[in-house]
Amino acid sequence: TKDAVYASDFSHADETAEPGHYKVGLASGVTADLTATARTGSARFTYPADKPASLLVRTANSEVGSTDSSVTIDPATRTVSGSVTSGDFCGYLDPEGQRAYYTLYFTARFDRDFKATGTWQDDRLSPGSTSASGGTGGFSHGGRPVAGKGAGGYVEFAPGGGPVNAKVGISYVSQAGAAANLAAENPPKRSFDAVRAAAHDAWRERLGAVRVGGGTDDERTTFYTALYHALLHPNVISDADRRYRGSDGEVHTVAHGHRAQYGTFSGWDVYRGQVQLLTLLDPRTGSDVAQSLYELARQNGGVWDRWLHGASGTHVMNGDPSPIALAGIHAFGGTDFDLRGALASLVKAATVP
C-alpha cells in the first residue's frame, strides 16, 4: 500500500524499550513515547519547533485490512474517537478466515487544542472535515489491505507548544465502553509518568515471580525476555465494568468469582506448557483462562475452537488442545472454574459430531 510515504524512518540506536514502556526518536525529528494500562495507552509526542505538528489516525489500516472503520474528531473536547471492523485471521491461507468478526472501538483525548483537522476516504482528502468512514475493502485479496482504500483523520497542533500528550482507551464492546475504560484507568489527572511507573511496577511484580541465579547477564536477559513473552497472551477482552463481547457477538458479563474474560487463545501453540506456566505463577489467572474458554465454547454452540482471535473461533490448525489445556491448568493449581460443566462440554465436543 506504499505506506512508506506516510512513515518516518528511525534507527534502533534511538530506541528505548522495556516492559510497559517504548520510546523512539524518529528521523522526522518527532519523539514518540508510549506506555499503557490494561485497557488504555498514554502517548507523549514531542515535535520539532520549526515544523508542522501533525498526527494521522489511520482507522482503516488494521494489519490485514478492514471491512469498515470510522473516525470522529471533536475539537471542542480535543477528542478523536472511532472504530475498525476486521478479522481475517490467516485469511491469506484459508478462505474460511476471510471474514470480519470483531470491532475495536477507541477514544483518544489530547491535552492540546487542534489547530486544524481533516479526514480522508480512499483518494478523497477533506480538509476541515471532522468525520469519515470506510474500510480497505473485503478480505478477498489474499488477506492484505487494498492499496488506496480506507479512511482516517488527522489533527494538527500549533508548533512550538511543548509535548502533546494523548490518552487512548479501547473496547471490544462499544464506543461508550472505550470512554469508560479511559475514565476508569487513565483519568485526566493521571500523568504520563505515573502510568509509566505503574506499568513498570506491574511488570516487575510479574517477572519477579521467578528468580534465577548463576549464568551470564545475557543468559538471564534471555530468560526474562522469554518469560515476558510467555505472559503476553491470552489477552483481557473484558471492559473495566466486566462486560465483554462473546463468541456469539452478544454482550456478556464476566463469570461470577472471576476477574476478567480472556481471548486470543492460541490453543494449538500453548497447551503443552504456556498455560501451565501461567497457572503456576498465578493460579487465579489460570482459573480465569479456563473459565473464559468454557464461556466462549458455550456461546459457540459447544465448539471449543482451537485458535481464538479475540473471542472468535478461527478453525485454524487441527487436533483438540482444549482438554489438555484445562487439565494442565487444573493440575498446576488453577482449580477455581466450573470443572464439571467444562468436562461435560468437552466430552460432548469429543463424542458428538
Side-chain angles (χ1 to χ4, degrees):
T1 54
K2 297 184 174 63
D3 282 0
V5 299
Y6 303 106
S8 176
D9 202 359
F10 70 97
S11 166
H12 290 303
D14 296 322
E15 282 183 304
T16 302
E18 59 189 348
H21 177 235
Y22 177 75
K23 183 178 182 180
V24 60
L26 302 172
S28 64
V30 177
T31 297
D33 204 355
L34 309 170
T35 186
T37 72
R39 301 170 181 86
T40 80
S42 284
R44 185 162 55 196
F45 301 110
T46 306
Y47 292 91
D50 59 343
K51 293 181 180 178
S54 305
L55 185 74
L56 300 183
V57 183
R58 305 179 64 197
T59 49
N61 281 71
S62 180
E63 175 70 15
V64 293
S66 59
T67 56
D68 199 12
S69 78
S70 67
V71 61
T72 301
I73 303 169
D74 185 355
T77 59
R78 302 193 292 252
T79 300
V80 180
S81 57
S83 65
V84 59
T85 300
S86 186
D88 199 35
F89 185 89
C90 284
Y92 65 99
L93 292 173
D94 178 14
E96 166 64 28
Q98 294 176 6
R99 58 194 168 90
Y101 44 77
Y102 74 83
T103 298
L104 176 69
Y105 302 89
F106 75 92
T107 295
R109 295 218 168 91
F110 296 83
D111 69 345
R112 293 266 304 279
D113 288 334
F114 304 150
K115 175 187 174 188
T117 67
T119 63
W120 72 87
Q121 181 177 359
D122 298 340
D123 59 353
R124 295 195 312 277
L125 183 66
S126 302
S129 167
T130 56
S131 64
S133 62
T136 61
F139 297 128
S140 58
H141 296 266
R144 293 289 181 263
V146 182
K149 295 281 286 183
Y154 64 87
V155 294
E156 186 179 336
F157 307 95
V164 175
N165 287 279
K167 294 171 176 284
V168 187
I170 63 169
S171 169
Y172 291 97
V173 175
S174 65
Q175 193 69 66
N181 287 339
L182 192 58
E185 295 185 3
N186 208 341
K189 291 184 178 179
R190 195 175 190 201
S191 70
F192 179 94
D193 291 331
V195 175
R196 177 186 171 184
H200 177 275
D201 291 348
W203 273 111
R204 178 176 288 278
E205 180 180 354
R206 295 302 304 276
L207 295 171
V210 180
R211 296 184 183 181
V212 295
T216 65
D217 284 349
D218 283 349
E219 287 170 336
R220 288 190 294 274
T221 297
T222 297
F223 174 85
Y224 281 106
T225 300
L227 179 59
Y228 169 75
H229 288 156
L231 295 171
L232 291 177
H233 289 281
N235 304 128
V236 171
I237 61 170
S238 50
D239 282 353
D241 66 0
R242 299 174 60 81
R243 296 193 308 156
Y244 69 96
R245 197 168 293 277
S247 56
D248 56 0
E250 301 299 317
V251 177
H252 302 269
T253 302
V254 173
H256 180 71
H258 293 270
R259 295 176 296 182
Q261 176 71 24
Y262 286 90
T264 308
F265 187 80
S266 178
W268 194 85
D269 299 297
V270 302
Y271 73 90
R272 301 169 183 86
Q274 190 254 5
V275 293
Q276 291 86 342
L277 176 62
L278 287 183
T279 307
L280 178 67
L281 298 178
D282 186 355
R284 285 192 66 188
T285 294
S287 297
D288 287 350
V289 170
Q291 187 69 31
S292 294
L293 288 170
Y294 177 41
E295 299 293 345
L296 293 174
R298 287 206 292 182
Q299 298 156 16
N300 194 33
V303 176
W304 293 68
D305 198 85
R306 296 176 293 272
W307 220 117
L308 292 155
H309 184 194
S312 180
T314 66
H315 327 309
V316 169
M317 296 299 183
N318 52 23
D320 199 1
S322 295
I324 305 167
L326 262 68
I329 289 171
H330 194 275
F332 277 76
T335 58
D336 186 18
F337 66 95
D338 184 357
L339 179 63
R340 291 183 179 276
L343 177 59
S345 177
L346 285 165
V347 168
K348 183 177 179 181
T351 57
V352 179

